[in-house]
Amino acid sequence: MGSSFAFVIPVAAIIRDFSDSVFNSEHDRFVHTMRAIQGALIVSSFFNIIIGYSKAWGTYSRLFSPVSIVPVVCVVGLGLFQRGFPMLAQCVEIGLPMLLLLVIVQQYLKRLHERTYVILERFALLMCVAIVWAFAALLTVSGAYNNVGEQTKINCRTDKSHLMSAATWIRIPYPFQWGPPIFRASHVFGMMGAALVSSAESTGTYFAAARLSGATPPPAHVLTRSIGLQGVGMLLNGIFGAAVGPTASVENVGLLGLTHVGSRRVVQISCLFMFFFSIFGKFGAFFASIPLPIFAAIYCVLFGLVTATGISFIQFANNNSMRNLYVLGLSLFLGISVPQYFSNFSNQAGHGPVNTDGGWFNDIINTIFSSPPTVALLVGTLLDNTLDARRYVEDRGLGWWIPFQHRNGDVRNDEFYSYPIRISELVPSRFL
Protein backbone atom coordinates (compact mmCIF):
# COMPACT_ATOMS: atom_id res chain seq x y z
CA MET A 1 0.00 0.00 0.00
CA GLY A 2 1.03 3.58 -0.57
CA SER A 3 -0.32 7.12 -0.41
CA SER A 4 -3.10 7.98 -2.85
CA PHE A 5 -3.12 11.25 -4.79
CA ALA A 6 -6.92 11.05 -4.74
CA PHE A 7 -6.86 12.57 -1.26
CA VAL A 8 -5.16 15.78 -2.41
CA ILE A 9 -8.46 17.47 -3.37
CA PRO A 10 -10.35 16.88 -0.08
CA VAL A 11 -7.24 17.61 2.00
CA ALA A 12 -6.72 20.88 0.10
CA ALA A 13 -10.38 21.74 0.73
CA ILE A 14 -9.90 21.20 4.47
CA ILE A 15 -6.82 23.43 4.43
CA ARG A 16 -8.77 26.18 2.63
CA ASP A 17 -11.59 25.96 5.19
CA PHE A 18 -9.21 27.16 7.89
CA SER A 19 -7.31 29.69 5.77
CA ASP A 20 -9.37 32.62 7.13
CA SER A 21 -9.52 31.38 10.71
CA VAL A 22 -7.48 33.16 13.38
CA PHE A 23 -4.94 31.12 15.37
CA ASN A 24 -2.30 32.07 17.92
CA SER A 25 0.44 30.75 15.62
CA GLU A 26 0.91 28.96 12.32
CA HIS A 27 1.77 25.83 14.28
CA ASP A 28 -1.66 25.94 15.94
CA ARG A 29 -3.23 26.30 12.50
CA PHE A 30 -1.28 23.27 11.29
CA VAL A 31 -2.29 21.14 14.29
CA HIS A 32 -5.94 22.15 13.99
CA THR A 33 -5.95 21.31 10.28
CA MET A 34 -4.31 17.94 10.91
CA ARG A 35 -6.96 17.12 13.53
CA ALA A 36 -9.67 17.90 10.98
CA ILE A 37 -7.98 15.71 8.35
CA GLN A 38 -7.59 13.02 10.99
CA GLY A 39 -11.32 13.08 11.79
CA ALA A 40 -12.32 12.97 8.11
CA LEU A 41 -10.05 9.98 7.47
CA ILE A 42 -11.39 8.06 10.46
CA VAL A 43 -15.06 8.42 9.54
CA SER A 44 -14.62 8.00 5.77
CA SER A 45 -12.59 4.83 6.35
CA PHE A 46 -15.84 3.09 7.30
CA PHE A 47 -17.04 3.68 3.74
CA ASN A 48 -14.34 1.31 2.45
CA ILE A 49 -14.89 -1.09 5.32
CA ILE A 50 -18.64 -1.24 4.62
CA ILE A 51 -18.44 -1.65 0.82
CA GLY A 52 -15.73 -4.23 1.38
CA TYR A 53 -17.04 -6.46 4.13
CA SER A 54 -20.67 -6.07 3.04
CA LYS A 55 -19.53 -7.65 -0.26
CA ALA A 56 -20.93 -4.65 -2.20
CA TRP A 57 -17.63 -4.14 -4.03
CA GLY A 58 -17.45 -7.83 -4.85
CA THR A 59 -20.95 -7.68 -6.31
CA TYR A 60 -19.94 -4.73 -8.46
CA SER A 61 -16.77 -6.53 -9.56
CA ARG A 62 -18.90 -9.29 -11.11
CA LEU A 63 -19.70 -6.74 -13.84
CA PHE A 64 -16.04 -6.74 -14.90
CA SER A 65 -14.77 -8.54 -17.96
CA PRO A 66 -11.39 -8.55 -19.74
CA VAL A 67 -12.74 -5.80 -22.00
CA SER A 68 -13.51 -3.43 -19.12
CA ILE A 69 -10.37 -4.29 -17.14
CA VAL A 70 -7.98 -3.42 -20.00
CA PRO A 71 -8.52 0.38 -19.84
CA VAL A 72 -8.61 0.37 -16.03
CA VAL A 73 -5.22 -1.29 -15.62
CA CYS A 74 -3.75 0.71 -18.50
CA VAL A 75 -4.63 4.07 -17.01
CA VAL A 76 -3.44 2.95 -13.57
CA GLY A 77 0.01 3.29 -15.14
CA LEU A 78 -0.68 5.96 -17.77
CA GLY A 79 -2.51 8.19 -15.30
CA LEU A 80 0.76 8.69 -13.41
CA PHE A 81 2.73 9.86 -16.45
CA GLN A 82 3.50 13.20 -14.80
CA ARG A 83 5.56 11.36 -12.20
CA GLY A 84 7.72 9.89 -14.97
CA PHE A 85 9.80 11.82 -17.49
CA PRO A 86 8.47 15.29 -16.52
CA MET A 87 9.84 14.72 -13.02
CA LEU A 88 12.98 13.08 -14.39
CA ALA A 89 13.69 16.15 -16.54
CA GLN A 90 13.78 18.39 -13.45
CA CYS A 91 17.32 17.08 -12.94
CA VAL A 92 18.18 15.42 -16.23
CA GLU A 93 21.87 14.87 -15.43
CA ILE A 94 20.80 12.46 -12.67
CA GLY A 95 17.49 11.11 -13.92
CA LEU A 96 18.49 10.24 -17.50
CA PRO A 97 21.62 8.25 -16.52
CA MET A 98 19.48 6.35 -14.04
CA LEU A 99 16.94 5.42 -16.72
CA LEU A 100 19.57 4.36 -19.25
CA LEU A 101 21.65 2.45 -16.69
CA LEU A 102 18.60 0.56 -15.41
CA VAL A 103 17.51 -0.52 -18.89
CA ILE A 104 21.02 -1.55 -19.94
CA VAL A 105 21.94 -3.43 -16.76
CA GLN A 106 18.57 -5.04 -16.07
CA GLN A 107 17.68 -6.03 -19.62
CA TYR A 108 20.87 -6.29 -21.67
CA LEU A 109 23.76 -7.16 -19.34
CA LYS A 110 21.81 -9.91 -17.58
CA ARG A 111 21.74 -11.86 -20.84
CA LEU A 112 25.53 -11.98 -21.18
CA HIS A 113 25.90 -15.00 -18.90
CA GLU A 114 23.51 -17.39 -17.20
CA ARG A 115 25.09 -16.75 -13.79
CA THR A 116 24.42 -13.03 -14.01
CA TYR A 117 20.85 -13.45 -15.23
CA VAL A 118 19.12 -14.01 -11.89
CA ILE A 119 21.37 -11.61 -9.96
CA LEU A 120 20.91 -8.68 -12.31
CA GLU A 121 17.24 -9.38 -12.87
CA ARG A 122 16.49 -9.13 -9.15
CA PHE A 123 19.12 -6.72 -7.88
CA ALA A 124 19.90 -4.46 -10.85
CA LEU A 125 17.51 -1.81 -9.55
CA LEU A 126 19.26 -1.58 -6.18
CA MET A 127 22.67 -1.50 -7.86
CA CYS A 128 21.67 1.28 -10.24
CA VAL A 129 20.11 3.36 -7.47
CA ALA A 130 23.29 3.06 -5.39
CA ILE A 131 25.53 4.07 -8.32
CA VAL A 132 23.49 7.08 -9.42
CA TRP A 133 22.79 8.13 -5.83
CA ALA A 134 26.55 8.15 -5.16
CA PHE A 135 27.01 10.18 -8.37
CA ALA A 136 24.42 12.71 -7.16
CA ALA A 137 26.16 12.92 -3.76
CA LEU A 138 29.48 13.54 -5.53
CA LEU A 139 27.95 16.39 -7.53
CA THR A 140 26.47 17.85 -4.35
CA VAL A 141 29.72 17.69 -2.37
CA SER A 142 31.80 19.07 -5.25
CA GLY A 143 29.67 22.22 -5.36
CA ALA A 144 28.03 21.59 -8.72
CA TYR A 145 24.72 22.91 -7.39
CA ASN A 146 25.95 25.84 -5.32
CA ASN A 147 25.10 28.51 -7.89
CA VAL A 148 21.90 27.14 -9.43
CA GLY A 149 18.24 27.95 -8.95
CA GLU A 150 16.38 26.94 -5.81
CA GLN A 151 14.21 24.44 -7.68
CA THR A 152 17.28 22.72 -9.12
CA LYS A 153 18.77 22.42 -5.64
CA ILE A 154 15.60 20.81 -4.35
CA ASN A 155 15.52 18.26 -7.17
CA CYS A 156 19.22 17.47 -7.49
CA ARG A 157 20.95 17.81 -4.15
CA THR A 158 21.19 14.89 -1.73
CA ASP A 159 21.34 17.14 1.33
CA LYS A 160 18.07 18.96 0.64
CA SER A 161 16.20 20.47 3.60
CA HIS A 162 18.85 19.17 6.03
CA LEU A 163 16.95 15.91 6.40
CA MET A 164 19.67 14.06 8.28
CA SER A 165 20.34 16.80 10.83
CA ALA A 166 16.64 17.51 11.45
CA ALA A 167 15.56 13.89 11.90
CA THR A 168 15.46 12.36 15.38
CA TRP A 169 17.21 9.11 16.17
CA ILE A 170 14.17 7.44 17.69
CA ARG A 171 10.54 8.51 17.49
CA ILE A 172 7.70 6.06 18.07
CA PRO A 173 4.42 7.02 16.35
CA TYR A 174 1.41 6.93 18.63
CA PRO A 175 -2.36 7.37 18.18
CA PHE A 176 -3.82 10.89 18.04
CA GLN A 177 -0.44 12.58 18.13
CA TRP A 178 -2.02 15.85 16.92
CA GLY A 179 -4.76 15.74 19.57
CA PRO A 180 -8.39 14.63 19.47
CA PRO A 181 -9.78 14.49 15.92
CA ILE A 182 -12.25 17.11 14.66
CA PHE A 183 -15.31 15.83 12.82
CA ARG A 184 -17.13 17.90 10.22
CA ALA A 185 -19.73 16.46 7.87
CA SER A 186 -18.48 18.47 4.86
CA HIS A 187 -14.95 17.18 5.35
CA VAL A 188 -16.11 13.60 5.78
CA PHE A 189 -18.22 13.54 2.61
CA GLY A 190 -15.39 15.03 0.58
CA MET A 191 -13.00 12.41 1.93
CA MET A 192 -15.48 9.64 1.07
CA GLY A 193 -15.08 10.56 -2.59
CA ALA A 194 -11.35 9.98 -2.26
CA ALA A 195 -12.01 6.65 -0.48
CA LEU A 196 -14.13 5.52 -3.44
CA VAL A 197 -11.43 6.60 -5.90
CA SER A 198 -8.71 4.76 -3.96
CA SER A 199 -10.85 1.61 -4.15
CA ALA A 200 -11.08 1.89 -7.94
CA GLU A 201 -7.33 2.54 -8.23
CA SER A 202 -6.54 -0.43 -6.00
CA THR A 203 -8.82 -2.72 -8.01
CA GLY A 204 -6.91 -2.03 -11.22
CA THR A 205 -3.63 -2.51 -9.36
CA TYR A 206 -4.78 -5.86 -7.94
CA PHE A 207 -5.55 -7.18 -11.41
CA ALA A 208 -2.13 -6.04 -12.64
CA ALA A 209 -0.43 -7.72 -9.66
CA ALA A 210 -2.27 -10.98 -10.29
CA ARG A 211 -1.34 -10.94 -13.96
CA LEU A 212 2.35 -10.20 -13.36
CA SER A 213 2.66 -12.85 -10.65
CA GLY A 214 1.00 -15.55 -12.76
CA ALA A 215 -2.02 -15.83 -10.46
CA THR A 216 -5.64 -16.28 -11.44
CA PRO A 217 -7.73 -13.08 -11.79
CA PRO A 218 -8.75 -11.89 -8.31
CA PRO A 219 -12.11 -13.47 -7.41
CA ALA A 220 -14.93 -11.28 -6.16
CA HIS A 221 -14.50 -12.37 -2.54
CA VAL A 222 -10.79 -11.50 -2.65
CA LEU A 223 -11.44 -8.04 -4.09
CA THR A 224 -14.11 -7.28 -1.52
CA ARG A 225 -11.97 -8.32 1.46
CA SER A 226 -9.05 -6.33 0.02
CA ILE A 227 -11.13 -3.15 -0.11
CA GLY A 228 -12.34 -3.85 3.42
CA LEU A 229 -8.77 -4.23 4.67
CA GLN A 230 -7.85 -1.05 2.81
CA GLY A 231 -10.54 0.68 4.88
CA VAL A 232 -8.94 -0.71 8.04
CA GLY A 233 -5.61 0.73 6.86
CA MET A 234 -7.27 4.08 6.26
CA LEU A 235 -8.71 3.98 9.77
CA LEU A 236 -5.21 3.42 11.16
CA ASN A 237 -3.93 6.30 9.01
CA GLY A 238 -6.46 8.59 10.65
CA ILE A 239 -5.76 7.32 14.14
CA PHE A 240 -1.99 7.76 13.76
CA GLY A 241 -2.32 11.21 12.20
CA ALA A 242 -1.42 10.64 8.54
CA ALA A 243 -2.35 13.33 6.03
CA VAL A 244 -3.76 11.04 3.31
CA GLY A 245 -5.29 7.60 2.90
CA PRO A 246 -3.83 4.48 1.27
CA THR A 247 -4.17 2.76 -2.07
CA ALA A 248 -2.43 -0.23 -3.62
CA SER A 249 1.09 0.69 -4.73
CA VAL A 250 1.47 0.80 -8.51
CA GLU A 251 5.24 1.07 -8.09
CA ASN A 252 5.45 -2.22 -6.22
CA VAL A 253 3.34 -3.99 -8.83
CA GLY A 254 5.69 -2.74 -11.54
CA LEU A 255 8.60 -3.91 -9.41
CA LEU A 256 6.98 -7.34 -9.24
CA GLY A 257 7.03 -7.49 -13.04
CA LEU A 258 10.57 -6.13 -13.23
CA THR A 259 12.16 -8.57 -10.77
CA HIS A 260 9.78 -11.53 -11.23
CA VAL A 261 9.64 -11.90 -7.44
CA GLY A 262 6.04 -12.51 -6.38
CA SER A 263 6.52 -14.05 -2.95
CA ARG A 264 4.36 -12.61 -0.18
CA ARG A 265 7.25 -13.28 2.19
CA VAL A 266 9.13 -10.43 0.50
CA VAL A 267 6.25 -8.06 1.27
CA GLN A 268 6.13 -9.20 4.90
CA ILE A 269 9.86 -8.60 5.35
CA SER A 270 9.58 -5.23 3.64
CA CYS A 271 6.87 -4.33 6.13
CA LEU A 272 9.33 -4.87 8.98
CA PHE A 273 11.83 -2.58 7.26
CA MET A 274 9.17 0.12 7.00
CA PHE A 275 8.44 -0.15 10.73
CA PHE A 276 12.17 0.17 11.37
CA PHE A 277 12.66 3.26 9.19
CA SER A 278 9.59 4.99 10.64
CA ILE A 279 10.84 4.59 14.21
CA PHE A 280 14.55 5.26 13.67
CA GLY A 281 14.39 8.64 11.95
CA LYS A 282 18.04 8.99 10.94
CA PHE A 283 17.89 5.85 8.81
CA GLY A 284 14.64 6.94 7.17
CA ALA A 285 16.08 10.39 6.46
CA PHE A 286 19.13 8.79 4.88
CA PHE A 287 17.02 7.07 2.24
CA ALA A 288 14.78 10.12 1.89
CA SER A 289 17.83 12.02 0.62
CA ILE A 290 17.67 10.14 -2.69
CA PRO A 291 16.83 12.78 -5.34
CA LEU A 292 13.33 12.45 -6.79
CA PRO A 293 14.55 12.27 -10.44
CA ILE A 294 16.09 8.89 -9.59
CA PHE A 295 12.68 7.61 -8.57
CA ALA A 296 11.13 9.23 -11.64
CA ALA A 297 13.48 7.22 -13.86
CA ILE A 298 12.39 4.04 -12.07
CA TYR A 299 8.74 5.02 -12.49
CA CYS A 300 9.19 5.27 -16.26
CA VAL A 301 9.94 1.55 -16.29
CA LEU A 302 7.55 0.39 -13.55
CA PHE A 303 4.50 2.33 -14.73
CA GLY A 304 5.21 1.24 -18.28
CA LEU A 305 5.14 -2.40 -17.18
CA VAL A 306 1.77 -1.93 -15.46
CA THR A 307 0.35 -0.24 -18.56
CA ALA A 308 1.54 -3.06 -20.80
CA THR A 309 0.03 -5.57 -18.37
CA GLY A 310 -3.35 -3.94 -18.88
CA ILE A 311 -3.02 -4.34 -22.64
CA SER A 312 -2.27 -8.06 -22.21
CA PHE A 313 -5.80 -8.71 -20.86
CA ILE A 314 -7.22 -8.15 -24.34
CA GLN A 315 -5.91 -11.56 -25.40
CA PHE A 316 -8.81 -13.15 -23.53
CA ALA A 317 -11.41 -11.23 -25.56
CA ASN A 318 -12.10 -10.97 -29.29
CA ASN A 319 -9.70 -8.38 -30.69
CA ASN A 320 -11.59 -8.27 -33.99
CA SER A 321 -14.93 -7.29 -32.47
CA MET A 322 -15.79 -3.67 -33.31
CA ARG A 323 -18.02 -3.66 -30.27
CA ASN A 324 -15.04 -4.47 -28.01
CA LEU A 325 -12.83 -1.92 -29.78
CA TYR A 326 -15.49 0.74 -29.23
CA VAL A 327 -15.69 0.01 -25.49
CA LEU A 328 -11.91 -0.11 -25.15
CA GLY A 329 -11.25 3.03 -27.14
CA LEU A 330 -13.86 5.24 -25.52
CA SER A 331 -13.18 4.16 -21.93
CA LEU A 332 -9.42 4.41 -22.39
CA PHE A 333 -9.58 7.84 -24.02
CA LEU A 334 -12.07 9.29 -21.54
CA GLY A 335 -10.10 7.76 -18.67
CA ILE A 336 -7.16 9.96 -19.66
CA SER A 337 -8.94 12.96 -21.19
CA VAL A 338 -11.58 13.72 -18.53
CA PRO A 339 -9.12 13.81 -15.56
CA GLN A 340 -6.76 15.94 -17.65
CA TYR A 341 -9.58 18.45 -18.21
CA PHE A 342 -10.37 18.54 -14.48
CA SER A 343 -6.67 19.01 -13.68
CA ASN A 344 -6.17 21.82 -16.20
CA PHE A 345 -9.33 23.58 -15.06
CA SER A 346 -8.29 23.40 -11.41
CA ASN A 347 -4.81 24.76 -12.17
CA GLN A 348 -6.23 27.74 -14.05
CA ALA A 349 -9.29 28.58 -11.96
CA GLY A 350 -8.10 27.50 -8.52
CA HIS A 351 -11.09 25.20 -8.12
CA GLY A 352 -12.59 22.22 -9.95
CA PRO A 353 -15.14 22.42 -12.79
CA VAL A 354 -17.89 21.51 -10.30
CA ASN A 355 -18.16 24.59 -8.10
CA THR A 356 -21.56 24.72 -6.38
CA ASP A 357 -22.48 26.10 -2.98
CA GLY A 358 -22.07 22.60 -1.52
CA GLY A 359 -18.35 22.21 -0.90
CA TRP A 360 -18.64 18.55 0.03
CA PHE A 361 -20.47 17.81 -3.23
CA ASN A 362 -17.77 19.65 -5.19
CA ASP A 363 -15.04 17.62 -3.52
CA ILE A 364 -16.75 14.29 -4.24
CA ILE A 365 -17.41 14.95 -7.93
CA ASN A 366 -14.08 16.69 -8.62
CA THR A 367 -12.18 13.89 -6.87
CA ILE A 368 -13.96 11.09 -8.74
CA PHE A 369 -13.52 12.62 -12.18
CA SER A 370 -9.91 13.62 -11.53
CA SER A 371 -8.94 9.94 -11.23
CA PRO A 372 -8.11 8.13 -14.52
CA PRO A 373 -8.76 4.59 -13.18
CA THR A 374 -12.10 5.62 -11.70
CA VAL A 375 -13.34 7.26 -14.91
CA ALA A 376 -12.13 4.30 -16.99
CA LEU A 377 -13.80 1.85 -14.59
CA LEU A 378 -17.13 3.69 -14.67
CA VAL A 379 -17.20 4.15 -18.44
CA GLY A 380 -15.86 0.67 -19.20
CA THR A 381 -18.27 -1.27 -16.99
CA LEU A 382 -21.24 0.84 -18.12
CA LEU A 383 -20.57 0.34 -21.82
CA ASP A 384 -19.51 -3.28 -21.52
CA ASN A 385 -22.67 -4.28 -19.65
CA THR A 386 -25.16 -2.29 -21.72
CA LEU A 387 -23.95 -2.65 -25.34
CA ASP A 388 -25.37 -6.03 -26.43
CA ALA A 389 -23.82 -7.65 -23.36
CA ARG A 390 -25.70 -10.96 -23.62
CA ARG A 391 -25.16 -11.27 -27.34
CA TYR A 392 -21.39 -10.84 -27.06
CA VAL A 393 -20.65 -13.05 -24.05
CA GLU A 394 -17.92 -14.99 -25.85
CA ASP A 395 -16.43 -11.89 -27.47
CA ARG A 396 -16.15 -10.25 -24.03
CA GLY A 397 -14.03 -13.15 -22.75
CA LEU A 398 -16.45 -14.14 -20.00
CA GLY A 399 -15.95 -17.82 -20.75
CA TRP A 400 -12.39 -17.50 -19.48
CA TRP A 401 -13.24 -15.00 -16.75
CA ILE A 402 -16.27 -16.36 -14.87
CA PRO A 403 -14.83 -19.67 -13.51
CA PHE A 404 -12.34 -17.76 -11.36
CA GLN A 405 -14.83 -15.30 -9.86
CA HIS A 406 -16.53 -17.55 -7.32
CA ARG A 407 -15.28 -18.69 -3.93
CA ASN A 408 -15.85 -22.33 -4.91
CA GLY A 409 -14.53 -21.79 -8.43
CA ASP A 410 -11.14 -22.81 -9.82
CA VAL A 411 -9.03 -24.68 -7.25
CA ARG A 412 -6.01 -22.58 -8.20
CA ASN A 413 -7.59 -19.60 -6.43
CA ASP A 414 -6.73 -21.08 -3.03
CA GLU A 415 -3.10 -21.41 -4.06
CA PHE A 416 -2.79 -17.68 -4.64
CA TYR A 417 -5.39 -16.10 -2.35
CA SER A 418 -5.51 -18.19 0.82
CA TYR A 419 -4.60 -16.38 4.03
CA PRO A 420 -1.03 -16.75 5.32
CA ILE A 421 0.17 -18.17 8.67
CA ARG A 422 -2.83 -20.51 9.10
CA ILE A 423 -5.34 -17.69 9.60
CA SER A 424 -7.97 -19.73 7.75
CA GLU A 425 -7.62 -22.48 10.36
CA LEU A 426 -7.90 -20.11 13.32
CA VAL A 427 -10.77 -17.87 12.18
CA PRO A 428 -14.21 -19.28 11.23
CA SER A 429 -14.77 -19.14 7.49
CA ARG A 430 -17.91 -17.02 7.80
CA PHE A 431 -15.74 -14.14 9.00
CA LEU A 432 -13.32 -14.44 6.07
Side-chain angles (χ1 to χ4, degrees):
M1 307 302 291
S3 302
S4 173
F5 282 88
F7 292 88
V8 170
I9 293 177
V11 166
I14 295 174
I15 294 173
R16 286 195 300 269
D17 276 356
F18 299 113
S19 60
D20 296 329
S21 302
V22 178
F23 295 92
N24 293 329
S25 65
E26 287 303 308
H27 178 72
D28 290 343
R29 182 191 304 276
F30 168 78
V31 171
H32 191 83
T33 303
M34 288 300 300
R35 289 168 59 198
I37 295 173
Q38 194 172 359
L41 281 173
I42 290 173
V43 178
S44 59
S45 68
F46 288 96
F47 177 80
N48 274 11
I49 293 174
I50 291 172
I51 66 172
Y53 289 116
S54 69
K55 301 182 180 180
W57 195 259
T59 302
Y60 173 62
S61 70
R62 296 185 190 278
L63 300 176
F64 300 163
S65 74
V67 176
S68 59
I69 283 297
V70 169
V72 177
V73 180
C74 282
V75 298
V76 163
L78 289 176
L80 299 171
F81 69 92
Q82 292 181 339
R83 297 174 66 187
F85 204 87
M87 188 186 295
L88 178 154
Q90 293 176 359
C91 189
V92 70
E93 65 270 24
I94 293 176
L96 190 58
M98 177 64 199
L99 177 59
L100 296 176
L101 188 63
L102 179 59
V103 173
I104 293 172
V105 174
Q106 213 271 340
Q107 293 298 320
Y108 290 94
L109 294 185
K110 73 175 183 180
R111 303 179 188 278
L112 294 179
H113 195 277
E114 60 180 9
R115 291 184 178 179
T116 63
Y117 191 93
V118 175
I119 295 176
L120 292 183
E121 183 178 64
R122 297 182 179 179
F123 302 105
L125 180 60
L126 294 177
M127 296 176 186
C128 294
V129 169
I131 293 171
V132 180
W133 187 13
F135 174 65
L138 183 62
L139 291 178
T140 301
V141 173
S142 64
Y145 300 118
N146 290 345
N147 300 314
V148 297
E150 191 63 31
Q151 194 63 35
T152 303
K153 291 181 180 179
I154 294 175
N155 292 316
C156 299
R157 296 184 69 95
T158 57
D159 59 350
K160 53 183 181 291
S161 303
H162 306 286
L163 288 173
M164 289 293 295
S165 59
T168 58
W169 277 106
I170 299 176
R171 184 179 185 276
I172 300 177
Y174 57 92
F176 305 115
Q177 59 180 317
W178 308 115
I182 298 173
F183 302 102
R184 283 194 182 181
S186 59
H187 297 164
V188 170
F189 282 112
M191 200 70 79
M192 281 185 180
L196 176 62
V197 167
S198 68
S199 299
E201 294 173 345
S202 294
T203 299
T205 308
Y206 295 149
F207 277 96
R211 182 81 182 130
L212 287 171
S213 59
T216 59
H221 72 277
V222 171
L223 286 177
T224 199
R225 83 183 185 201
S226 300
I227 298 303
L229 281 171
Q230 182 172 313
V232 174
M234 187 174 172
L235 176 62
L236 292 175
N237 279 17
I239 291 175
F240 280 87
V244 295
T247 189
S249 173
V250 183
E251 297 91 327
N252 282 346
V253 173
L255 190 62
L256 189 155
L258 188 69
T259 61
H260 297 167
V261 176
S263 171
R264 286 187 290 187
R265 186 72 65 197
V266 174
V267 181
Q268 294 162 0
I269 295 174
S270 299
C271 177
L272 298 179
F273 275 103
M274 294 184 71
F275 278 118
F276 177 84
F277 291 131
S278 65
I279 295 174
F280 298 94
K282 292 292 184 183
F283 294 96
F286 176 70
F287 287 101
S289 67
I290 301 176
L292 287 179
I294 293 180
F295 291 111
I298 299 172
Y299 293 159
C300 290
V301 177
L302 302 186
F303 294 161
L305 277 173
V306 174
T307 302
T309 302
I311 298 173
S312 71
F313 278 99
I314 194 59
Q315 66 181 298
F316 304 111
N318 185 358
N319 298 336
N320 297 317
S321 170
M322 285 305 300
R323 182 258 184 204
N324 286 354
L325 295 178
Y326 182 88
V327 174
L328 286 172
L330 186 57
S331 54
L332 182 59
F333 186 84
L334 291 181
I336 297 175
S337 184
V338 171
Q340 187 64 37
Y341 163 73
F342 272 72
S343 177
N344 292 341
F345 191 101
S346 299
N347 292 336
Q348 295 174 5
H351 57 78
V354 180
N355 188 31
T356 66
D357 293 334
W360 62 271
F361 177 78
N362 301 338
D363 293 341
I364 291 176
I365 302 301
N366 290 327
T367 300
I368 290 175
F369 288 97
S370 295
S371 166
T374 307
V375 175
L377 188 65
L378 292 174
V379 175
T381 53
L382 176 64
L383 293 176
D384 189 43
N385 287 276
T386 55
L387 290 179
D388 291 330
R390 294 183 179 179
R391 180 183 172 189
Y392 289 93
V393 170
E394 293 300 324
D395 284 356
R396 295 167 62 197
L398 292 180
W400 169 82
W401 191 268
I402 290 177
F404 300 106
Q405 298 308 304
H406 303 283
R407 180 182 292 273
N408 57 351
D410 195 288
V411 294
R412 288 174 291 177
N413 283 344
D414 291 336
E415 177 186 352
F416 301 113
Y417 300 113
S418 60
Y419 279 100
I421 56 175
R422 300 177 63 187
I423 290 179
S424 298
E425 300 177 15
L426 301 175
V427 182
S429 60
R430 64 180 179 273
F431 296 115
L432 298 177

